[in-house]
Amino acid sequence: MFSKEESRQLRQEFWTSFGKSFPRKWLLYNTKIKGLSFKFHFDTKSALVAMDLEDDLENRINCWEKLVALKSILKDDYLPDAIYEEEYYLDSGKEISRIYVPLDEKVSIHNKNTWQVVMEFFNVNMSLFEAFFEEYKDIIKS
């Protein structure tokens, strides 16, 4: 087991290392669509990349319907393993809508031996998510 401080340091070291290994500006919160953001997630059990909808329910439904309409394009041309969850609950209990791609390997942010696999997974899959978004953002935004 790691202390809170050791865990915090490992997390910081991972994200610093990821930024140095793949130095680019990720879209993340800068989508210019209210409530829509991209997220990297890596903890002691799993890693994933996600597109989250966290706005008020009406806007979330409107945006979600457009993303569902684009589902076959996203899965066929970009991310075949993408999972759509209209009702996804964060650890905090907050309900959002999420499209995500999980890494199908046992990884842990506390295990440096798994870091390279996660970094490469993040780079490839978030790049594909962003490419999809750039191509279809006008439809999603409308």
Side-chain angles (χ1 to χ4, degrees):
M1 287 299 288
F2 292 90
S3 71
K4 273 189 170 175
E5 180 58 23
E6 289 168 325
S7 181
R8 187 194 65 74
Q9 286 177 336
L10 276 171
R11 289 173 193 280
Q12 185 175 3
E13 190 179 334
F14 171 80
W15 291 110
T16 300
S17 181
F18 177 62
K20 288 179 180 171
S21 297
F22 298 96
R24 60 166 284 201
K25 181 97 172 95
W26 298 99
L27 203 52
L28 302 179
Y29 293 94
N30 194 23
T31 64
K32 302 206 177 17
I33 296 177
K34 189 175 177 232
L36 189 145
S37 61
F38 290 92
K39 306 254 174 76
F40 291 109
H41 174 81
F42 186 24
D43 62 19
T44 56
K45 295 182 180 80
S46 64
L48 61 83
V49 292
M51 178 191 297
D52 288 354
L53 290 171
E54 299 186 56
D55 203 13
D56 63 83
L57 191 57
E58 185 178 329
N59 192 42
R60 231 175 78 199
I61 291 169
N62 182 38
C63 198
W64 183 255
E65 288 172 351
K66 292 170 185 150
L67 290 167
V68 169
L70 294 166
K71 184 175 185 176
S72 61
I73 294 170
L74 176 66
K75 289 180 76 80
D76 293 346
D77 298 346
Y78 297 90
L79 297 163
D81 298 326
I83 298 168
Y84 275 62
E85 283 197 36
E86 187 172 5
E87 296 174 14
Y88 185 96
Y89 291 91
L90 299 174
D91 291 340
S92 65
K94 180 179 180 181
E95 180 188 325
I96 65 168
S97 297
R98 173 176 272 184
I99 302 169
Y100 65 101
V101 180
L103 175 60
D104 284 336
E105 288 185 44
K106 194 165 172 51
V107 293
S108 171
I109 199 160
H110 289 168
N111 181 352
K112 289 185 179 184
N113 294 330
T114 65
W115 286 10
Q116 192 60 39
V117 169
V118 172
M119 287 182 198
E120 289 170 9
F121 168 81
F122 279 173
N123 183 54
V124 168
N125 288 281
M126 188 59 84
S127 295
L128 289 167
F129 243 146
E130 288 185 350
F132 164 78
F133 179 77
E134 287 300 325
E135 186 69 28
Y136 295 98
K137 67 182 172 192
D138 291 339
I139 293 169
I140 298 166
K141 194 184 291 191
S142 66

